[in-house]
Each structure stands twice: as structure tokens, then as C-alpha cells.
Amino acid sequence: MDQRITSLAHTLVTYSMKVTAGDNVLIEGFGQNTFEMIEALVNAVARAGANPFVRLYDTLVNRAILHANNDLRAQIESESDLQFMKHMNCYVAIRGADNILENSDVDMIKKSITAKFSKEVVRQRVNNTRWVVLRWPSATFAERVKMSTRAFEDFFFTSCLYDYSQLEKNMMPLKELMEKTDEVRILGPSVNLKFSIKGIPAIICAGEKNIPDGEIFTAPVKDSVDGFIHFNTPTIYQGSMFEGIHLWFKNGQITEATCSIGDPKQLCAILDTDDGARYIGEFGLGVNNVITKPMMDILFDEKIGGSFHLTPGEAYEDADNTNRSIIHWDMVMRQTAEHGGGEIWFDDVLVRKD
């Protein structure tokens, strides 16, 4: 086995999830190319004296299930999943699907049924387990980002096997500044936003929830976002791709939304899923400078060095602005000079330029 796989499994078990003897650890794998990593994780969990549980998923089978979806089916499944998740102390998901657009032709209503009934399962996992999720490299993933398979694997492990304890120390001054800040101003050729983050904690992400990692996030005061933004990074949500998303805000709410690539009606349908979907639940800064271009995968893209992201929908409870939704859609803007630059101000402090 590639030593980088066993090293990453060790990091996930000992650092990210902090597995201890007697823990129940759920390992979920999406795609057959994840099997070797799952094997390494099972071995690492067992060495820690814990109990590994494995669930495997296939994207084509999942697509067929979504096409056949209905309220009763989704309710029974979610009730079973919730009871199972309540037994778990730790959770890790390895996402290795070949086709990221596999569910693009599934009816929006069918997909929203699963989101509605799985919400409590997700909350149980997020709030009551030590969890981490990661994408897994594949030839298809490499082709998507115009790299050879081996070059992409090298990039993947370099971005994932980070010195996360040092990264956490490096982000501490930014956390302290954010937690003293009232007004945030974001300026640039295609953005002019202001909002407050007063009284909301800033959360450092350094290898404990996502791999790769490297972001710090908080949330805007719910009704404080005003202005506009034209995102310059592709985004995939619920199996569909969008580019050039343009949002306008007033009193915290998205009042208008368009896109240059993708179905504008679908974009608006997602934002109309529930009352909270048109408010922002997260504001984060990406600081992983190994990641410099979009991977069309949010686990990478929200960490891009020189980027920030805004998230229509659910706020995390550890940085809570009270917004609730079954949507949580991270949208990324890069502000490096080659992408038009821009400035971020915390009150009267310029914290980043270009």
C-alpha cells in the first residue's frame, strides 16, 4: 500500500477524529476507488482499540434510488440512519465518485425529499460525533482539473498531509481579530458587500473536519448583509453545475440571483427551498496556499489561498447566527491579483489585498 495512504489514515484517526479505545467509528465510502483507503482506515481504527463500521455506496445505485424517492422511503431510511448514527462516536466519509454530475438529471423535488428527511441525521453527525470528510483522487478527477493522474495524486497528498498543528497556530491572530470585529467590507471589481460579524465566534479549521483543510469561518449577523457579489469560481450543488452566480442582498436577504452558466430557474428554486435559504449562514476565508485553482469540489475550493466564501443556508451551531435551512451551499470568490484582486476590511483594518 502507498505509504501516503497509511499516513493519511493515521492522521484522520489520531488527529482529525482523535479516536480512543472503545469508540464506534463509522467509515462511509462513495465509489469503488475508495476501498484501499477504507482498508487503511479500518486497520488504523482497530489499532486504536476502537470499533470500525463500514458503509459503501455506489453513485449509479444512489441515482436510481433518488429517481424512485418518495416521502415514506426517505423517512424510513433517515429514521434508521439516525438511530445508527446515535451509536457512533466518530465519523469519516471518503468521497470518490467518478461523475460529479451524476445526479444532475434527478428532479429537484426528489433530491429535496432526501435533504429534508436526512437533516436530523446530519445534525446528529455534525453536533455529536468527531467527524471528518475528504474527497479521494481518481483519473476522472485528475482529468477534470486538467492534470495527469500521478501529478494529481501528488498534489492531493501534498494538500492533505499538511502540518495542521502549525496551521492552527498561524490562524490564531486572525481568529482573535475576527472576534473583535463588527463590520466587514469586501470590495473588488465584482463585489461590494458589507455585513456585521459582531458577537459570533470565529472557528479555525485545521484538519479536524475536512481534509484538505485551511479555512477560518464565522457567520454574518443574519439581517446585516447588503450589496452585491459576482462569484468567479464554478460551483456544483445537488449534482448540478453553476458559474458566474450573481447575488444581490438587502437586509441580509438574497433579493435577486442570476448565473451565466447553469439553469437560473434551478438556482432560484434552490434558494427558495425554505425561508433560510436566501440568508447567509457562513462567511469563511481560505488559507491553504497549496490549493491555487478550482477543483470543482467544495472540500478543495473553499480552502483556496486568497479566496473567501459565502454560504446561503444553514449556519453551524459553533458560529451561529440563528439561520436554519436544509441548504448549505458554499460559494467561492478568488481575490488574488490574477482574478481581479480586491480588498477585505475588518472595521478599519485592511486584512487582505489582492
Side-chain angles (χ1 to χ4, degrees):
M1 186 177 290
D2 189 326
Q3 183 59 42
R4 297 175 299 183
I5 294 176
T6 54
S7 295
L8 184 54
H10 178 76
T11 296
L12 294 171
V13 170
T14 62
Y15 180 83
S16 302
M17 293 185 288
K18 297 177 175 59
V19 175
T20 59
D23 279 342
N24 295 325
V25 183
L26 176 57
I27 304 165
E28 289 191 333
F30 298 82
Q32 294 186 6
N33 62 320
T34 64
F35 287 2
E36 192 173 28
M37 183 62 191
I38 292 170
E39 179 188 358
L41 280 167
V42 168
N43 292 336
V45 168
R47 282 195 297 271
N51 305 310
F53 296 83
V54 176
R55 286 183 168 182
L56 304 176
Y57 299 91
D58 178 83
T59 53
L60 286 175
V61 173
N62 285 351
R63 175 180 174 276
I65 290 172
L66 284 174
H67 274 298
N69 211 9
N70 59 62
D71 280 7
L72 178 61
R73 194 214 68 80
Q75 181 180 1
I76 292 171
E77 182 176 65
S78 63
E79 288 174 353
S80 173
D81 288 346
L82 180 60
Q83 291 307 310
F84 186 71
M85 191 66 73
K86 287 180 178 179
H87 291 286
M88 296 299 116
N89 307 105
C90 304
Y91 171 89
V92 55
I94 307 96
R95 300 172 180 171
D98 282 333
N99 185 354
I100 58 175
L101 303 179
E102 198 68 73
N103 296 329
S104 60
D105 59 350
V106 178
D107 184 81
M108 275 287 300
I109 295 176
K110 299 281 190 179
K111 287 188 280 194
S112 66
I113 290 171
T114 293
K116 177 177 67 175
F117 283 101
S118 65
K119 188 174 182 179
E120 290 306 313
V121 183
V122 174
R123 282 184 175 165
Q124 174 67 26
R125 171 178 68 79
V126 169
N127 297 321
N128 298 289
T129 71
R130 303 187 297 278
W131 60 272
V132 62
V133 297
L134 67 155
R135 189 68 67 188
W136 196 246
S138 66
T140 305
F141 199 162
E143 181 182 32
R144 190 167 77 233
V145 296
K146 299 179 174 58
M147 298 175 70
S148 70
T149 301
R150 295 296 178 235
F152 181 72
E153 288 174 356
D154 291 342
F155 159 78
F156 173 84
F157 285 109
T158 300
S159 65
C160 290
L161 292 170
Y162 219 82
D163 184 349
Y164 288 114
S165 59
Q166 184 60 52
L167 180 64
E168 183 174 10
K169 294 176 184 177
N170 292 347
M171 283 195 278
M172 191 58 68
L174 178 58
K175 170 183 170 68
E176 293 171 355
L177 178 61
M178 290 174 76
E179 292 183 339
K180 296 175 183 176
T181 295
D182 179 357
E183 185 178 82
V184 175
R185 288 294 306 271
I186 306 179
L187 305 172
S190 55
V191 57
N192 190 331
L193 285 173
K194 67 176 182 178
F195 52 86
S196 174
I197 57 173
K198 185 176 182 179
I200 299 176
I203 308 300
I204 287 174
C205 299
E208 291 188 321
K209 303 297 185 187
N210 291 174
I211 297 290
D213 216 343
E215 70 164 299
I216 183 165
F217 73 89
T218 182
V221 173
K222 184 175 176 179
D223 61 357
S224 70
V225 185
D226 281 298
F228 70 88
I229 182 169
H230 192 172
F231 291 96
N232 59 11
T233 304
T235 178
I236 294 171
Y237 195 73
Q238 295 183 346
S240 297
M241 180 179 290
F242 300 88
E243 288 190 44
I245 291 179
H246 199 161
L247 304 179
W248 288 263
F249 294 86
K250 185 175 182 180
N251 298 328
Q253 189 175 39
I254 299 169
T255 58
E256 187 177 350
T258 64
C259 58
S260 57
I261 295 178
D263 184 349
K265 291 182 180 179
Q266 186 179 15
L267 168 64
C268 290
I270 295 171
L271 296 176
D272 289 334
T273 299
D274 52 37
D275 292 341
R278 283 184 177 262
Y279 289 87
I280 297 298
E282 180 187 346
F283 161 61
L285 297 167
V287 298
N288 187 327
N289 292 321
V290 175
I291 307 172
T292 59
K293 65 178 183 178
M295 302 282 111
M296 287 183 287
D297 185 291
I298 197 57
L299 290 181
F300 286 84
D301 294 353
E302 68 179 357
K303 317 303 189 327
I304 294 172
S307 74
F308 71 88
H309 53 278
L310 292 171
T311 307
E314 180 92 352
Y316 288 118
E317 291 188 5
D318 48 2
D320 199 358
N321 69 354
T322 74
N323 196 44
R324 293 294 171 260
S325 175
I326 63 173
I327 298 301
H328 185 89
W329 186 358
D330 296 307
M331 299 181 182
V332 177
M333 169 166 274
R334 292 164 288 165
Q335 283 194 305
T336 52
E338 65 182 308
H339 297 103
E343 300 175 354
I344 297 180
W345 292 78
F346 292 166
D347 291 327
D348 57 351
V349 179
L350 177 63
V351 296
R352 193 166 70 188
K353 180 179 175 66
D354 297 346

